[in-house]
Amino acid sequence: MLGDAVLAEWQAGLDDLFALVAGRFARVEPRRLAFAYVRGLLAPLERCNGWTIAEHAGRRSPNAVQEMLYSPCWDPDLVRDDVRDYLVGHLGEPSGVLIADDTGFIKKGVRSAGVQRQYTGTAGKVENCQIGTFLAYATSRGRALIDRELYLPQSWTGDPERRSRAAVPETVEFATKPQQARAMIARAVAAGVPFAWFTADEAFGQNPGLRDWLQEQDIAYVMATRKDDEVDAGLHTRTPVKDMIGRIRPGAWRRMSCGDGAHGPRIYDWAWTPIRAEFGDNRRGWVLARRSIATGEIAFYRCYGRRGTRLRELVRVAGARWAIEESFQTAKNEVGLDQYQVRRYDAWYAHITLAMTAAAFLVVTRAIEAAKGEPQAAAAS
């Protein structure tokens, strides 16, 4: 059980977070309902949906709570910006890493915005689901989701009647997941989020449009790619990354950790080799390889950054990609990110934003508690 002093401190921290976003609500009632919604997401409810959150807030029906999710009296994008700034204020470091990934939300029926049968890594197969593309921010102090976009397949963007029923604005056009990631990175840059690298899995890493844009913006990256992805290996010569790594002498592989996981350090064998292409002043590209100690299976990455970047730094960034998986796990298991019952496009953004708000509070609270323990740990050592 938590002591009264700790509970009071946590409540004060939650009040401070609410104070940051309160001005985004034009009316008192939607603001109160949104704050009650966040408290409900943080409460130990078996399921976080309109009924259970309304009951937790002392309401007889979920109607007012559900209407708040599409109320014109607040803008979820502005709340998202405040939550991002709140996280940066507590976690921000110049060495931070931005991470993009998508996650699935399994659904029944065909009316929820963006739903269709499509592959989702959440289930590891094709399911009837919605897909959200997210951006996470990771530093040595913690990691959390800071931005989100609902993926709308062309079966939706090209169907005016379907769009209208789900309240999808006319201005919303089809965008691929890499294009959504690009938009979210651009927002982070414009907001002054301190970071040094971007990383993502091969769904993003094999996209030349995203890679070219990152290089144009001089954003360093480490992104996974397929083994048959071809890169410049000499004058007018392109070679699959697996062949480039295959030429590396056995003694060049280095065993090191890319960060701690649930069961301790994630230790692999690593190797790298330069990409023979011009990347601009003082910039360079590399192919990075990660080999499993247990199975010998090799994963490949395309990298871009400052000349003189060390292998250990690329390994650190490659390992940071797991931070978004952990952020999904925290948000789904602890604050009901995937436990919504809404069909409208705007309501999806509202729920996801409030769930990200609740998750941000947990992440910051844990970071504050961890920082309190650091002096004690140092004294004990």
Side-chain angles (χ1 to χ4, degrees), residues 147-197:
D147 209 341
R148 72 289 179 265
E149 290 289 353
L150 177 62
Y151 174 69
L152 288 179
Q154 290 176 314
S155 63
W156 272 84
T157 56
D159 188 334
E161 183 179 349
R162 202 178 191 192
R163 291 169 61 109
S164 178
R165 286 200 302 265
V168 178
E170 294 181 0
T171 55
V172 175
E173 299 178 350
F174 173 74
T176 65
K177 295 164 194 172
Q179 288 171 334
Q180 291 181 322
R182 170 176 165 172
M184 291 188 287
I185 297 166
R187 286 198 287 263
V189 171
V193 176
F195 71 99
W197 294 88

Side-chain angles (χ1 to χ4, degrees), residues 230-311:
E230 294 187 346
V231 298
D232 293 325
L235 186 62
H236 308 303
T237 302
R238 293 181 63 79
T239 302
V241 293
K242 64 181 179 62
D243 293 342
M244 291 188 68
I245 294 299
R247 297 169 186 166
I248 294 177
R249 58 184 179 84
W253 289 81
R254 295 181 58 188
R255 183 162 297 183
M256 63 181 78
S257 169
C258 60
D260 291 336
H263 305 290
R266 295 187 175 103
I267 300 176
Y268 297 90
D269 291 330
W270 300 85
W272 63 337
T273 188
I275 295 174
R276 306 297 183 183
E278 293 295 328
F279 289 93
D281 294 342
N282 201 32
R283 298 297 184 267
R284 200 167 187 184
W286 303 270
V287 174
L288 175 69
R290 184 196 74 207
R291 186 174 65 195
S292 168
I293 297 172
T295 66
E297 182 179 359
I298 300 177
F300 302 90
Y301 303 81
R302 275 186 180 239
C303 311
Y304 162 83
R306 288 183 176 275
R307 186 181 296 272
T309 297
R310 304 188 66 174
L311 173 61

Side-chain angles (χ1 to χ4, degrees), residues 17-41:
L17 174 55
F18 286 165
L20 289 176
V21 304
R24 302 304 189 182
F25 294 82
R27 292 178 51 236
V28 171
E29 182 64 9
R31 183 177 72 235
R32 288 176 176 169
L33 286 169
F35 293 172
Y37 198 92
V38 172
R39 289 192 180 96
L41 293 173

Side-chain angles (χ1 to χ4, degrees), residues 16-76:
D16 289 343
L17 174 55
F18 286 165
L20 289 176
V21 304
R24 302 304 189 182
F25 294 82
R27 292 178 51 236
V28 171
E29 182 64 9
R31 183 177 72 235
R32 288 176 176 169
L33 286 169
F35 293 172
Y37 198 92
V38 172
R39 289 192 180 96
L41 293 173
L42 289 166
L45 304 178
E46 185 174 350
R47 292 284 295 177
C48 294
N49 56 46
W51 277 103
T52 59
I53 291 174
E55 289 175 356
H56 184 266
R59 302 272 175 160
R60 293 184 177 180
S61 84
N63 294 346
V65 171
Q66 292 172 333
E67 289 171 3
M68 176 273 298
L69 292 176
Y70 54 87
S71 169
C73 295
W74 69 291
D75 185 343

Side-chain angles (χ1 to χ4, degrees), residues 283-341:
R283 298 297 184 267
R284 200 167 187 184
W286 303 270
V287 174
L288 175 69
R290 184 196 74 207
R291 186 174 65 195
S292 168
I293 297 172
T295 66
E297 182 179 359
I298 300 177
F300 302 90
Y301 303 81
R302 275 186 180 239
C303 311
Y304 162 83
R306 288 183 176 275
R307 186 181 296 272
T309 297
R310 304 188 66 174
L311 173 61
R312 183 168 294 279
E313 178 69 353
L314 298 183
V315 169
R316 178 186 77 87
V317 179
R321 194 179 69 78
W322 278 293
I324 197 167
E325 298 291 347
E326 293 165 357
S327 295
F328 287 148
Q329 185 175 16
T330 295
K332 289 185 177 182
N333 294 345
E334 300 187 36
V335 298
L337 183 76
D338 58 344
Q339 295 177 22
Y340 55 87
Q341 294 176 322

